[in-house]
Amino acid sequence: RAEAFGPNGKSIKRTLNTRMRNGDGTSITVHTQEGLSYYGPITIGTPAQNFVALFDTGSSNLWMPGQTCGTSCGKHDRYNSAASTSYVANNTPFNIQYGSGPCSGFFSDDTVSVGGLSTGNTESFAQVTDAPGLQGAGYAQGPWDGIMGLAFPSISV
């Protein structure tokens, strides 16, 4: 079930079910805010840690707040590498500049799943440790914890 919010702030519910290539009928719940942004559940790690990702077609990196992210990550859930048996340290610095400002941290490798589907390998993603550029209402009050970039790999940082 997807949830959209109209101009008056009232919720408009829709169902978006996607049949995966493996044909098992797995559904992924995707939410939208006025049709401008889309977000849904993903998991990282073993055992799975649950997050809500903004599915962003304008960027190519996956990032979630890390355990050490302070107040700039607000109330959002944080990835805990110590709680994951599939975590592999990477520690390459992560720095990205959005129109609203900077976001930084470091890369890590772990299992990532969307809608219960995973590549079966560890994937690189960033643990954000500081997000001062995301202090606007969009992130601070938004329902998503981090971003899953869906754009071309050539624009990733």
Side-chain angles (χ1 to χ4, degrees), residues 56-152:
D56 181 18
T57 59
S59 69
S60 294
N61 292 97
L62 169 61
W63 65 259
M64 288 295 151
Q67 273 307 106
T68 61
C69 194
T71 58
S72 65
C73 288
K75 63 177 174 59
H76 299 286
D77 290 333
R78 288 160 168 76
Y79 169 77
N80 181 355
S81 60
S84 177
T85 58
S86 50
Y87 166 74
V88 177
N90 179 319
N91 295 321
T92 301
F94 171 77
N95 295 291
I96 192 165
Q97 180 71 34
Y98 292 106
S100 57
C103 185
S104 62
F106 58 93
F107 282 98
S108 296
D109 297 331
D110 209 335
T111 57
V112 176
S113 177
V114 179
L117 298 176
S118 172
T119 62
N121 301 315
T122 59
E123 304 296 332
S124 291
F125 71 99
Q127 290 190 55
V128 168
T129 56
D130 194 23
L134 301 177
Q135 290 306 295
Y139 182 64
Q141 297 171 12
W144 47 275
D145 301 307
I147 291 178
M148 176 175 260
L150 302 174
F152 298 106

Side-chain angles (χ1 to χ4, degrees), residues 3-6 14 31-39 54 138 141-144:
E3 192 169 344
F5 299 92
R14 289 184 249 170
H31 304 275
T32 184
Q33 288 182 307
E34 297 186 32
L36 299 174
S37 62
Y38 294 86
Y39 58 93
L54 176 71
Q141 297 171 12
W144 47 275

